[in-house]
Amino acid sequence: MAYLPDFWQGIRDMKELQSTLAEELGISITLAADLINQFFVSTSTWGLAHWEQEFGLTTDPSMSDEWRREMISAKLRGHGTVTKQMLIDVASAFSGGEVDVLEYPGEHRFVIRFIGVLGVPANMAGFMAMLEQIRPAHLSYSFLYTFTTWDMVSGLTWQNAATRTWGQLRTYGGG
């Protein structure tokens, strides 16, 4: 109403019309922003099923959106010839931290070492399923996880350590 000429200001129908138009415009802007979010895996919600269909993944709405995004991101990163860097990229998508791949060509195997995350990454089942799809069939694999070392917990008193479970201490990063 502030943008309209003064003679419209006192007309009740015009105020109601402008109020309705403002509400509808707000809804349209919100829906347009939500639609744009669906074009990016990292912000997609209801569009995840379309991404999964595009990459031939099984849609499982019972899984969290974050889990489904990890699967899609890994599929995006895992396209093409399998290289050490591709394995690192796919593993990083699942772990959210630094990863290294140790190759043993003579033994036809490789080891994925999770460095940047303490403990077992949350979606290991999804990662292993993705790894089975992209790895060369003649190569076997194993995992190395990083857990808390004694140096990391040396600053804890027995009283502080007693407030944590063994699982929490295994992934305690210090500080």
Side-chain angles (χ1 to χ4, degrees):
M1 289 298 293
Y3 295 110
L4 295 177
D6 289 337
F7 61 86
W8 290 109
Q9 300 300 323
I11 301 173
R12 182 179 55 86
D13 289 344
M14 183 54 74
K15 288 180 182 178
E16 288 181 24
L17 175 64
Q18 291 302 316
S19 174
T20 302
L21 288 172
E23 185 177 326
E24 291 298 320
L25 182 61
I27 291 169
S28 296
I29 290 170
T30 301
L31 291 174
D34 186 44
L35 178 63
I36 290 170
N37 285 339
Q38 305 316 305
F39 289 105
F40 303 95
V41 175
S42 62
T43 55
S44 184
T45 53
W46 54 264
L48 289 172
H50 298 289
W51 283 99
E52 290 163 335
Q53 181 182 7
E54 183 70 27
F55 290 109
L57 297 170
T58 304
T59 299
D60 186 356
S62 68
M63 301 309 289
S64 70
D65 286 351
E66 192 57 39
W67 186 89
R68 294 170 67 193
R69 284 187 195 107
E70 286 176 353
M71 295 295 288
I72 295 165
S73 294
K75 194 72 168 179
L76 278 167
R77 293 179 184 187
H79 182 70
T81 303
V82 178
T83 63
K84 178 179 179 177
Q85 188 58 51
M86 179 207 280
L87 291 171
I88 290 171
D89 291 343
V90 171
S92 295
F94 279 90
S95 72
E98 186 180 351
V99 175
D100 190 20
V101 174
L102 309 170
E103 299 174 288
Y104 300 97
E107 299 174 22
H108 303 288
R109 71 182 182 97
F110 60 92
V111 176
I112 297 175
R113 185 172 65 162
F114 296 96
I115 303 167
V117 175
L118 290 176
V120 178
N123 190 5
M124 276 305 288
F127 173 58
M128 290 172 69
M130 181 62 61
L131 190 57
E132 285 296 322
Q133 291 180 10
I134 66 170
R135 77 173 171 91
H138 70 287
L139 295 179
S140 65
Y141 61 90
S142 59
F143 304 105
L144 283 175
Y145 305 105
T146 304
F147 289 99
T148 304
T149 62
W150 287 114
D151 290 340
M152 294 170 147
V153 293
S154 64
L156 283 177
T157 65
W158 283 109
Q159 185 177 14
N160 288 343
T163 63
R164 293 175 170 81
T165 66
W166 177 244
Q168 290 170 328
L169 287 173
R170 288 180 66 197
T171 58
Y172 178 75

Coordinates of all heavy atoms in Angstrom, one line a residue, residues 76-90 134-136:
L76 N 28.0 -39.3 -7.3 CA 28.5 -38.3 -8.2 C 30.1 -38.3 -8.2 O 30.7 -38.2 -9.3 CB 28.1 -36.9 -7.6 CG 26.7 -36.4 -8.0 CD1 26.3 -35.2 -7.1 CD2 26.6 -36.0 -9.4
R77 N 30.7 -38.5 -7.1 CA 32.2 -38.5 -7.1 C 32.7 -39.8 -7.6 O 33.9 -39.9 -8.0 CB 32.6 -38.4 -5.6 CG 32.4 -37.0 -5.1 CD 32.8 -36.9 -3.6 NE 32.5 -35.6 -3.1 CZ 32.9 -35.2 -1.9 NH1 33.6 -35.9 -1.2 NH2 32.5 -34.0 -1.5
G78 N 31.9 -40.9 -7.6 CA 32.4 -42.2 -8.0 C 32.2 -42.6 -9.4 O 32.1 -43.7 -9.8
H79 N 32.0 -41.6 -10.3 CA 31.7 -41.8 -11.7 C 33.0 -41.9 -12.4 O 33.9 -41.0 -12.3 CB 30.8 -40.7 -12.2 CG 30.4 -40.9 -13.6 ND1 29.6 -41.9 -14.0 CD2 30.8 -40.2 -14.8 CE1 29.4 -41.8 -15.3 NE2 30.2 -40.8 -15.8
G80 N 33.2 -42.9 -13.3 CA 34.4 -43.0 -14.1 C 35.3 -44.1 -13.6 O 34.9 -45.0 -12.9
T81 N 36.5 -44.0 -14.1 CA 37.6 -45.0 -13.8 C 37.9 -44.9 -12.3 O 38.1 -43.8 -11.8 CB 38.8 -44.8 -14.6 OG1 38.4 -44.9 -16.0 CG2 39.8 -45.9 -14.3
V82 N 38.0 -46.0 -11.6 CA 38.3 -46.0 -10.2 C 39.8 -45.7 -10.0 O 40.7 -46.5 -10.5 CB 38.0 -47.4 -9.5 CG1 38.4 -47.4 -8.1 CG2 36.5 -47.6 -9.7
T83 N 40.1 -44.7 -9.3 CA 41.5 -44.3 -9.0 C 41.6 -44.1 -7.5 O 40.6 -44.1 -6.8 CB 41.9 -43.0 -9.7 OG1 41.0 -41.9 -9.1 CG2 41.7 -43.0 -11.2
K84 N 42.8 -44.0 -7.0 CA 43.0 -43.8 -5.6 C 42.3 -42.5 -5.2 O 41.6 -42.5 -4.1 CB 44.5 -43.7 -5.3 CG 44.9 -43.4 -3.9 CD 46.4 -43.3 -3.7 CE 46.7 -43.0 -2.2 NZ 48.1 -43.0 -2.0
Q85 N 42.4 -41.4 -6.0 CA 41.8 -40.2 -5.6 C 40.3 -40.3 -5.6 O 39.6 -39.7 -4.8 CB 42.2 -39.0 -6.6 CG 41.7 -37.7 -6.2 CD 42.2 -37.3 -4.8 OE1 43.4 -37.3 -4.6 NE2 41.3 -36.8 -4.0
M86 N 39.7 -41.1 -6.5 CA 38.3 -41.3 -6.5 C 37.8 -42.0 -5.2 O 36.8 -41.6 -4.6 CB 37.8 -42.1 -7.7 CG 36.3 -42.3 -7.7 SD 35.7 -43.8 -8.5 CE 35.8 -43.3 -10.1
L87 N 38.6 -43.0 -4.8 CA 38.2 -43.7 -3.6 C 38.3 -42.7 -2.4 O 37.5 -42.8 -1.5 CB 39.2 -44.9 -3.4 CG 39.0 -46.0 -4.3 CD1 40.1 -47.1 -4.2 CD2 37.6 -46.7 -4.1
I88 N 39.3 -41.9 -2.4 CA 39.5 -40.9 -1.3 C 38.3 -39.9 -1.3 O 37.7 -39.6 -0.3 CB 40.8 -40.1 -1.5 CG1 42.0 -41.0 -1.1 CG2 40.8 -38.8 -0.6 CD1 43.4 -40.4 -1.5
D89 N 37.9 -39.5 -2.5 CA 36.8 -38.5 -2.6 C 35.5 -39.2 -2.1 O 34.7 -38.6 -1.4 CB 36.6 -38.0 -4.0 CG 37.7 -37.1 -4.5 OD1 38.5 -36.6 -3.6 OD2 37.9 -36.9 -5.7
V90 N 35.2 -40.4 -2.5 CA 34.0 -41.1 -2.1 C 34.0 -41.3 -0.6 O 33.0 -41.1 0.1 CB 33.8 -42.4 -2.9 CG1 32.7 -43.3 -2.3 CG2 33.6 -42.1 -4.4
I134 N 31.5 -49.6 -7.0 CA 32.5 -48.8 -7.8 C 33.9 -49.5 -7.8 O 34.7 -49.3 -8.7 CB 32.7 -47.4 -7.3 CG1 33.3 -47.3 -5.9 CG2 31.4 -46.6 -7.4 CD1 33.7 -45.9 -5.5
R135 N 34.2 -50.4 -6.9 CA 35.6 -50.9 -6.8 C 35.8 -52.0 -7.9 O 34.8 -52.7 -8.3 CB 35.9 -51.6 -5.5 CG 35.2 -52.9 -5.3 CD 35.6 -53.6 -4.0 NE 34.8 -54.7 -3.7 CZ 35.1 -55.9 -4.1 NH1 36.2 -56.2 -4.8 NH2 34.3 -56.9 -3.9
P136 N 37.0 -52.1 -8.4 CA 37.2 -53.2 -9.4 C 37.0 -54.6 -8.7 O 37.4 -54.8 -7.5 CB 38.7 -53.0 -9.7 CG 39.0 -51.6 -9.4 CD 38.1 -51.3 -8.2

